Amino acid sequence: MAAQTTQTIFGVDIVKGSSRSREAPRYAVAVLNGSVEKYSSVSRFKLLRLIRQYRPGILAVDSITELAENRKELVRFLKRLPPEVKLVQVTGNEHQEPLTKLGRDNGITFNPVMPDEEAFAAACLASMGVGYIVSAFEDRTVIKVSRGRSLGRGGWSQNRYRRKVQGKVREKVREIEAKLKDRVYDMTITEGFGGYVNGTFIVNARRSDLGIHSSREEDVQVTVTSVEKEAIEFIPLQRRKRDYIIVGVDPGTTTAVAILDLNGRLVEVTSSRVSSIPDIIEHISEKGRPVVIATDVVPPPGAVEKIKRAFKAVLFTPNERIPVEEKVRLARPLGYSNDHERDALAAAVKAFNTYKNKFAQIDKKTPSHLDANDVKALAIEGKPIEMALDMLTAPPAPERPRGAILPETEPDAKLEELRARLKQKEEQVENLRSYMGDLRRDMKHLELRVSSQDRIIRNLKSKGIDDVRRTREITIRDGEIARLKKESADLKRRNSELQSNMDRLKHIRAMEFRGDKAPVKVVESLSKEAVLNCDRKFGIKAGDVIFVRDAGGGAEAAAMLAERGVKAVIKGTPMSHMAEERLFRAKVPVLPRDDVPLKFVDGYAVLDPGRLEAAIEKWKAYAAGVEKRGREEKLLGIIDEYRAKRAREYRNDSKASD
């Protein structure tokens, strides 16, 4: 029989193949969404397509090994699911029970040899709250914004294209930052030319709660992934209604409440301006059974004392007021939205850390048939661990022999027990009376305060809304004006640089036409960046004369000059052997500065054309001599090699004749 369900639930069972075999697995699928649909055999691809189509709340299986061979494959499979889908293993956590036994215990009959019926049984069990959620991700999400394509090898428009793409990345980062304004997150950005190279957000929230999805546009891509846990965790699908909890409270105009379970996991952190003490007590009771009420100050506020008395919980206060730095360190890993939530969360974490070692001992000593949290609750009340275990372990009922008469309970012992119970009840009544008196005083105070606040609210309501809107609009416009001013200043500076370069180029071209002085383009150093910078400013073309102020660079920059067909290179300092050899092979004269005197005018140099030609002719004669010596050395080498060969042949012939 199927249980009624208000959400779509998928039950899945493997038909053939397995996650460990080479044969692709196929699955039987049962869909519960008010009616029942069954698919007898679907591939993994179609299973994922059905999940994306139906968007079920639960994907139930009898064993997660049917979906993945190991943890890595399981995480990969979970990443392909929509974020709201929970994977549930109905047979238990690490310790599993047979599906047939679970079905029998919950009134579900099915044929275990039929995969589609097993899938249906798994879906029904999950709808009844049987099973464990397979949790592989923390409640943290990484959002990465980066370029959507490579910038390529470059060209005339390389810088403009880089500025465009990195500007798009910056716009997308700001867009996501606006969406996360009410969230707790860390952001890192890498700035680039005209914008951002990339930006990364680490948000303290589940991926399904953000409303931001992975996407790819023309120039920008957004990748949204959940942060993996160190180990797969199994969370009960249907928690106990009254779990033991540790509550941190920060009272005041804004009251914040932080709730942890006895394993230190965050249950909830919230804050409100309108919650009264009774509202807070009711809210806490809905979340669980408090065993510790914690505060971050000494002495504890009266409101915290009232909440503690309402639950008869243990009050935790630190030895001294917790510093702000320590509060941030304690609360930041769990996440908070404001300073009040931070203080409440720090108090709860501080209380948990106080009992942490004792909790670890209890986990080791508690037998499997007892709930360790029950032992922890008794230990917090002050009971020794051994006594708590004895109190929770029901003694076995002794066998009554035939004919034996059980001794009656002694009247004195029974009377003492009744007196102790009566005293306990009287203390409870007294605590409740005291608490009721506090509530009545608070209620009168709040009634007066509410009537006063109502008058103020009526006067400020209409005016306040307009002021907020106007302030928000002004802030937005001021930000836009500042951004436009910055862009305008950047454009003016760039325009000034380009105008200066144009004037220099006109002057150089005029001197070239007159012929009285030969212009020389200056490269600051023999490096690729310096050559490209000179090319951008003045343009390096065939027939140019280049002066390298610092010639101690590499062969790559020399090759760039040779490829552009320059007429000659004048070196300001000694040039490396590899660079000079590269220019020599390209037949580009390399001239010392002493041979060609230069005059510097406005960032470039001029020289006497006659002196230049004389120096080039001198270099050509030197180059011809070098080539001639090279040919002679090569010829002598051939002759020496021939002589050595003939000598070897002669020696071999002499040995053969002997």
Side-chain angles (χ1 to χ4, degrees), residues 15-265:
V15 176
K16 67 174 184 176
S18 74
S19 59
R20 298 182 178 88
S21 67
R22 293 185 178 180
E23 182 181 6
R26 298 190 69 83
Y27 300 95
V29 182
V31 182
L32 271 63
N33 56 354
S35 59
V36 179
E37 298 179 45
K38 292 185 179 181
Y39 299 86
S40 58
S41 180
V42 300
S43 64
R44 182 189 289 261
F45 174 78
K46 186 173 181 182
L47 172 62
L48 291 169
R49 191 172 64 186
L50 287 171
I51 292 171
R52 285 190 286 269
Q53 175 185 346
Y54 283 89
R55 295 277 178 172
I58 292 175
L59 175 64
V61 295
D62 61 344
S63 175
I64 58 176
T65 57
E66 295 181 353
L67 298 176
E69 177 184 356
N70 50 43
R71 179 182 184 275
K72 184 177 180 182
E73 289 190 5
L74 178 62
V75 170
R76 188 182 299 120
F77 178 81
L78 290 173
K79 285 182 178 179
R80 299 179 67 182
L81 298 179
E84 68 273 13
V85 178
K86 297 182 180 68
L87 176 61
V88 173
Q89 183 171 266
V90 296
T91 53
N93 46 23
E94 295 89 348
H95 310 290
Q96 300 180 35
E97 296 184 71
L99 188 64
T100 51
K101 179 180 181 301
L102 290 171
R104 188 166 56 250
D105 293 344
N106 291 275
I108 300 172
T109 57
F110 64 96
N111 186 352
V113 299
M114 300 293 292
D116 55 344
E117 293 197 19
E118 283 204 354
F120 176 68
C124 291
L125 288 169
S127 70
M128 297 175 181
V130 177
Y132 286 76
I133 300 171
V134 181
S135 176
F137 304 109
E138 298 180 4
D139 291 342
R140 290 195 301 158
T141 305
V142 177
I143 304 172
K144 185 171 183 180
V145 184
S146 58
R147 297 192 299 257
R149 60 174 68 183
S150 171
L151 296 178
R153 297 180 60 185
W156 290 103
S157 303
Q158 175 72 9
N159 287 333
R160 184 169 66 252
Y161 180 60
R162 178 183 287 109
R163 185 171 62 249
K164 173 195 170 189
V165 172
Q166 296 181 163
K168 292 286 187 183
V169 173
R170 178 177 59 190
E171 290 178 7
K172 180 60 71 173
V173 168
R174 288 175 175 173
E175 177 185 330
I176 293 175
E177 189 177 3
K179 291 182 179 178
L180 298 175
K181 62 180 180 179
D182 297 327
R183 300 280 184 181
V184 178
Y185 63 89
D186 293 326
M187 180 178 71
T188 57
I189 57 173
T190 303
E191 295 189 2
F193 180 53
Y196 297 159
V197 176
N198 57 56
T200 303
F201 300 84
I202 301 178
V203 190
N204 290 327
R206 290 190 296 269
R207 183 162 59 106
S208 57
D209 297 338
L210 295 180
I212 301 172
H213 307 285
S214 297
S215 61
R216 188 180 185 90
E217 301 174 9
E218 182 180 358
D219 296 318
V220 183
Q221 65 178 358
V222 179
T223 306
V224 183
T225 56
S226 299
V227 178
E228 291 185 31
K229 292 182 177 179
E230 294 182 359
I232 299 294
E233 186 176 357
F234 293 89
I235 303 172
L237 182 60
Q238 192 172 33
R239 294 181 180 273
R240 293 190 307 174
K241 293 182 180 178
R242 295 284 290 171
D243 284 343
Y244 293 108
I245 54 176
I246 296 173
V247 182
V249 181
D250 180 57
T253 306
T254 299
T255 300
V257 176
I259 301 175
L260 305 179
D261 64 15
L262 297 192
N263 293 316
R265 289 189 292 263

Side-chain angles (χ1 to χ4, degrees), residues 416-477:
E416 289 297 325
E417 181 183 354
L418 290 174
R419 284 175 178 171
R421 291 178 62 184
L422 179 61
K423 184 178 180 181
Q424 182 182 8
K425 296 297 183 183
E426 287 175 350
E427 289 178 357
Q428 290 180 1
V429 170
E430 187 61 32
N431 287 335
L432 288 173
R433 283 176 179 169
S434 174
Y435 177 55
M436 188 180 297
D438 293 340
L439 290 179
R440 285 173 179 166
R441 286 192 297 273
D442 289 344
M443 188 170 64
K444 289 180 181 179
H445 174 71
L446 288 173
E447 286 175 353
L448 294 174
R449 185 176 176 184
V450 167
S451 62
S452 174
Q453 294 295 328
D454 282 342
R455 289 193 299 271
I456 296 173
I457 290 171
R458 282 194 296 271
N459 294 332
L460 296 177
K461 188 173 182 180
S462 58
K463 180 183 176 182
I465 294 175
D466 294 338
D467 289 345
V468 168
R469 289 176 178 170
R470 190 179 300 110
T471 302
R472 185 181 301 169
E473 186 67 24
I474 290 172
T475 302
I476 293 172
R477 292 185 180 181

Side-chain angles (χ1 to χ4, degrees), residues 338-513:
N338 52 56
D339 292 346
H340 304 286
E341 292 183 3
R342 178 201 65 196
D343 293 350
L345 196 54
V349 174
K350 186 84 171 177
F352 171 77
N353 289 342
T354 302
Y355 295 102
K356 189 174 181 181
N357 292 335
K358 182 174 287 188
F359 287 171
Q361 294 176 12
I362 292 171
D363 287 332
K364 292 179 181 179
K365 293 183 178 182
T366 304
S368 59
H369 66 278
L370 293 181
D371 187 348
N373 286 342
D374 292 333
V375 184
K376 293 175 184 177
L378 291 173
I380 290 172
E381 293 177 4
K383 306 285 192 304
I385 297 176
E386 306 302 334
M387 180 185 295
L389 290 172
D390 291 341
M391 292 173 65
L392 294 171
T393 304
E399 238 183 86
R400 185 169 65 177
R402 288 187 186 177
I405 299 174
L406 293 175
E408 295 183 1
T409 307
E410 295 183 5
D412 292 341
K414 187 68 175 178
L415 184 59
E416 289 297 325
E417 181 183 354
L418 290 174
R419 284 175 178 171
R421 291 178 62 184
L422 179 61
K423 184 178 180 181
Q424 182 182 8
K425 296 297 183 183
E426 287 175 350
E427 289 178 357
Q428 290 180 1
V429 170
E430 187 61 32
N431 287 335
L432 288 173
R433 283 176 179 169
S434 174
Y435 177 55
M436 188 180 297
D438 293 340
L439 290 179
R440 285 173 179 166
R441 286 192 297 273
D442 289 344
M443 188 170 64
K444 289 180 181 179
H445 174 71
L446 288 173
E447 286 175 353
L448 294 174
R449 185 176 176 184
V450 167
S451 62
S452 174
Q453 294 295 328
D454 282 342
R455 289 193 299 271
I456 296 173
I457 290 171
R458 282 194 296 271
N459 294 332
L460 296 177
K461 188 173 182 180
S462 58
K463 180 183 176 182
I465 294 175
D466 294 338
D467 289 345
V468 168
R469 289 176 178 170
R470 190 179 300 110
T471 302
R472 185 181 301 169
E473 186 67 24
I474 290 172
T475 302
I476 293 172
R477 292 185 180 181
D478 286 346
E480 184 66 15
I481 289 170
R483 185 182 66 80
L484 292 174
K485 283 183 177 179
K486 185 176 182 302
E487 289 186 2
S488 176
D490 292 341
L491 291 173
K492 286 180 180 179
R493 184 169 59 255
R494 179 62 177 162
N495 185 46
S496 176
E497 291 176 358
L498 294 174
Q499 187 64 43
S500 175
N501 289 341
M502 287 178 60
D503 294 341
R504 292 174 182 174
L505 290 171
K506 287 178 181 178
H507 196 178
I508 291 173
R509 185 54 60 92
M511 286 192 298
E512 286 180 345
F513 281 127

